[in-house]
Amino acid sequence: MAPTILIVGATGNTGRSVTETLPNLLNTSNTLSDHRIIALTRSLNSPVAQQLAKLPGVEVLEQNWVEITADWLREHEVVRAFIASHNEPHHFTEESTFHLAALKAGVKYVVRISTTAANVRPDCAAYYPRTHWAIEALLSSPEFNSLQWTSLQPNIFSQMYLSTAAELIKQYRKTGKQDTLRLMASEDAPVGIIDPDEIGVFAAHLLSQDDPTVHSKAKYVLNGPEDITGKQIVGMVEQHIGTPVKDVSYKDMSFIDSFVEGGTQKSKNVILSIKHAPETAWDGKCTASTTSKEVLEIAAPKRTPADVFKTLLEE
């Protein structure tokens, strides 16, 4: 068995592009070319898992990451890892357990996915950024000094930000009718939304560094190459449908209400706090200009909102 780089969440938003990008980077590495890649999935039968299994040097395993122990990591000779956790209320318990196992197993370096940088603070009104803050605080403690890590703090994903606009266009093309265009965006605040594939590409570059020491304990901010406002999203919709949008609801987080009303076993108070997550974006704190210089130097994101929007319309 060879030293292993583990990818947790390999079939997810960011993990897929980590898995697709990493093999080529390892092939050109001075010190990591003999490392193998283990990509975790919840189902080997999923189309994405089957596609990843065809990549050279990648072994896809069906394994629930929350059950990973230090012994499991030692058995598979894991020396580096990528983790993109869920953001449910029990997030801290499960991700911190993973990092503790990594520490005990002697894993050398972990790259993790956090959330919007402006929200990662102990007083954020939305619950899940506080969890990311707590995980970063845990990793920053003296007890974890032997585990090198980097936390990636990406802006909101482009697909999520633009999906309702794309759906309105598809509906209009089928029926000639418009529903209310509900946008998470505010009308005028510029936001540097990012394609999650490009987050994964940057993570892969970090994991393939011969010596990641310079990136240890770093928190990198990732945005797309261009800002977009709600008004500009409306403009893109009108360009595609050839007529004015009749009704726009900006700063619309009603989908959270719908989720809660649909029934959930989780605290409604906690889940409803998600509605506060975009407030920093509405305040103009999440622009492309906040991207960390290391991101721009190593693997600068290139996909614009228009690029992503085109892809959404083709799906």
Side-chain angles (χ1 to χ4, degrees):
M1 198 175 292
T4 298
I5 299 177
L6 176 68
I7 303 175
V8 173
T11 58
N13 288 321
T14 55
R16 186 183 69 254
S17 60
V18 176
T19 312
E20 292 170 342
T21 306
L22 193 54
N24 289 335
L25 295 176
L26 295 186
N27 285 339
T28 60
S29 169
N30 295 324
T31 60
L32 304 175
S33 58
D34 63 336
H35 285 47
R36 64 178 187 146
I37 299 167
I38 289 181
L40 297 190
T41 179
R42 285 176 291 185
S43 172
L44 290 172
N45 295 322
S46 75
V48 176
Q50 292 180 352
Q51 196 70 28
L52 295 178
K54 298 176 183 177
L55 296 172
V58 174
E59 179 183 359
V60 180
L61 292 183
E62 192 171 284
Q63 168 69 42
N64 186 348
W65 71 268
V66 303
E67 303 299 335
I68 286 176
T69 63
D71 286 342
W72 190 96
L73 293 169
R74 291 190 199 100
E75 178 188 345
H76 292 85
E77 296 187 36
V78 175
V79 294
R80 298 186 181 189
F82 168 85
I83 179 167
S85 178
H86 58 75
N87 65 353
E88 296 185 12
H90 53 288
H91 171 192
F92 179 84
T93 305
E94 294 183 338
E95 189 179 342
S96 64
T97 298
F98 175 85
H99 292 304
L100 183 59
L103 177 70
K104 291 182 175 181
V107 174
K108 301 301 182 184
Y109 181 50
V110 174
V111 177
R112 67 177 299 273
I113 299 295
S114 181
T115 190
T116 307
N119 287 346
V120 184
R121 60 183 200 273
D123 64 340
C124 183
Y127 80 87
Y128 66 89
R130 298 197 302 270
T131 300
H132 285 292
W133 172 85
I135 291 286
E136 292 175 355
L138 175 141
L139 291 171
S140 298
S141 68
E143 291 82 357
F144 277 79
N145 275 345
S146 62
L147 177 63
Q148 295 184 326
W149 58 275
T150 305
S151 193
L152 307 186
Q153 299 178 331
N155 208 335
I156 188 167
F157 295 168
S158 303
Q159 288 81 347
M160 183 178 183
Y161 211 65
L162 300 174
S163 61
T164 55
E167 287 305 312
L168 185 142
I169 293 171
K170 291 177 182 179
Q171 179 194 51
Y172 183 81
R173 288 173 174 172
K174 289 180 180 178
T175 67
K177 298 179 181 179
Q178 296 184 34
D179 288 332
T180 298
L181 174 56
R182 302 186 183 279
L183 296 177
M184 189 184 308
S186 70
E187 184 173 6
D188 296 316
V191 180
I193 58 177
I194 184 168
D195 185 333
D197 281 351
E198 299 200 297
I199 302 167
V201 169
F202 179 70
H205 276 79
L206 292 182
L207 289 165
S208 65
Q209 297 285 305
D210 289 330
D211 181 3
T213 303
V214 67
H215 303 292
S216 184
K217 296 183 173 62
K219 304 169 189 176
Y220 292 142
V221 180
L222 294 94
N223 300 285
E226 292 179 6
D227 292 323
I228 192 166
T229 66
K231 187 184 297 183
Q232 288 172 318
I233 296 173
V234 173
M236 288 198 302
V237 172
E238 292 177 339
Q239 183 178 9
H240 281 277
I241 65 176
T243 189
V245 173
K246 294 179 178 179
D247 185 25
V248 184
S249 176
Y250 293 109
K251 299 184 180 181
D252 193 309
M253 298 294 288
S254 58
F255 67 93
I256 301 297
D257 294 313
S258 300
F259 176 74
V260 171
E261 290 166 4
T264 177
Q265 300 300 313
K266 304 174 181 68
S267 164
K268 292 183 179 180
N269 186 39
V270 170
I271 300 302
L272 287 171
S273 75
I274 297 172
K275 296 170 74 171
H276 295 286
E279 290 174 352
T280 48
W282 300 338
D283 291 340
K285 297 178 181 178
C286 302
T287 62
S289 65
T290 63
T291 301
S292 297
K293 64 180 180 60
E294 292 84 356
V295 176
L296 299 176
E297 292 167 355
I298 294 172
K302 298 173 182 175
R303 280 176 59 79
T304 66
D307 293 333
V308 175
F309 202 58
K310 180 181 178 182
T311 301
L312 287 173
L313 291 176
E314 292 171 350
E315 292 177 349

